Amino acid sequence: AQTVTQSQPEMSVQEAETVTLSCTYDTSENNYYLFWYKQPPSRQMILVIRQEAYKQQNATENRFSVNFQKAAKSFSLKISDSQLGDTAMYFCAFFGIKAAGNKLTFGGGTRVLVKP
Amino acid sequence: EPEVTQTPSHQVTQMGQEVILRCVPISNHLYFYWYRQILGQKVEFLVSFYNNEISEKSEIFDDQFSVERPDGSNFTLKIRSTKLEDSAMYFCASSEVGTNYGYTFGSGTRLTVV
């Protein structure tokens, strides 16, 4: 079974600074997808960024970028120029192509607090 | 942009009562899901549903839980006899067949069992 680990329960960052969230996962699959979801206080799950394992190029979405290290099974998220609206829980998630039922496996989350 | 709609946003129920959580998935999606998040904990997979049957379910999804697609648009989660530990945020999601990036979550239903 796949597992996803987020080792940082909480991170704080000054507005306009950069913060990096770590995520590691365990799988025996070769083809899979990785995601970062943002959960603001409203508790809605918002997709931030995704990465296909077969792509070597790291995904970028505006101020959000990832560092995908397939051999190390690591998938970190970098938030650049942090804004107050980035304050939220961030969840790393894994999707295996062979996973029964198309299910996502989530990490435990990292709470990010952006300070003015 | 298409949305997954969940109702109600918050439901309070007495222990032992039955509850039905409702979801309207995105219209051209064919895979439907329920996830649960107990306050302060990780998001957990409950069940996926495809072609009018359960595709996969977790160990959490025991006989107290059931899902149904009663018509062409709604997807429901029923908890037959609620327990205090069922208190959580319940998320519905939908995706296109076999896709990984077309996964869209609803805004959730907060269930409180008292």
Side-chain angles (χ1 to χ4, degrees):
Chain A
Q2 287 84 9
T3 58
V4 179
T5 302
Q6 294 179 245
S7 59
Q8 305 147 314
E10 192 166 321
M11 301 277 284
S12 63
V13 60
Q14 290 295 131
E15 197 174 5
E17 297 291 306
T18 295
V19 63
T20 300
L21 312 182
S22 66
C23 171
T24 57
Y25 56 94
D26 186 28
T27 184
S28 57
E29 294 191 45
N30 192 47
N31 292 324
Y32 50 87
Y33 293 75
L34 295 160
F35 305 86
W36 280 98
Y37 281 89
K38 171 184 177 181
Q39 189 180 45
S42 66
R43 299 193 73 183
Q44 185 163 5
M45 297 293 287
I46 302 166
L47 178 64
V48 174
I49 199 165
R50 67 178 177 93
Q51 173 81 41
E52 293 91 333
Y54 63 84
K55 287 188 179 177
Q56 291 187 340
Q57 186 173 8
N58 289 322
T60 299
E61 195 73 41
N62 299 317
R63 298 181 296 106
F64 299 88
S65 60
V66 298
N67 183 4
F68 173 50
Q69 302 289 326
K70 191 173 183 180
K73 295 180 182 172
S74 170
F75 181 61
S76 61
L77 174 71
K78 184 168 79 172
I79 307 174
S80 304
D81 185 25
S82 298
Q83 300 175 359
L84 296 178
D86 295 333
T87 291
M89 282 289 286
Y90 287 82
F91 291 95
C92 178
F94 174 98
F95 175 88
I97 301 296
K98 295 180 183 175
N102 262 22
K103 65 181 181 183
L104 284 173
T105 301
F106 286 86
T110 297
R111 185 177 307 278
V112 172
L113 175 63
V114 181
K115 298 178 179 179
Chain B
E1 190 166 327
E3 289 183 345
V4 174
T5 306
Q6 288 187 244
T7 55
S9 57
H10 190 189
Q11 179 151 3
V12 181
T13 189
Q14 295 270 347
M15 190 169 55
Q17 294 295 303
E18 174 184 286
V19 294
I20 297 176
L21 309 184
R22 303 181 190 279
C23 170
V24 179
I26 293 173
S27 59
N28 64 338
H29 286 183
L30 297 178
Y31 249 109
F32 315 120
Y33 314 85
W34 284 100
Y35 286 79
R36 180 181 83 174
Q37 185 185 30
I38 294 172
L39 185 63
Q41 298 186 23
K42 68 165 65 176
V43 180
E44 301 172 292
F45 170 80
L46 289 179
V47 65
S48 60
F49 190 87
Y50 171 68
N51 201 24
N52 285 319
E53 61 182 19
I54 290 175
S55 176
E56 179 75 6
K57 60 182 181 179
S58 72
E59 60 275 7
I60 303 168
F61 194 88
D62 61 22
D63 292 344
Q64 292 299 309
F65 291 88
S66 63
V67 289
E68 194 176 35
R69 189 152 164 82
D71 52 42
S73 60
N74 290 284
F75 178 53
T76 61
L77 174 70
K78 182 193 290 186
I79 308 175
R80 268 180 261 285
S81 178
T82 50
K83 304 188 271 283
L84 294 176
E85 53 264 37
D86 293 327
S87 294
M89 195 78 168
Y90 288 81
F91 292 100
C92 175
S94 69
S95 72
E96 298 171 68
V97 174
T99 191
N100 36 66
Y101 42 82
Y103 220 106
T104 304
F105 282 88
S107 54
T109 293
R110 185 190 301 270
L111 176 65
T112 303
V113 183
V114 297

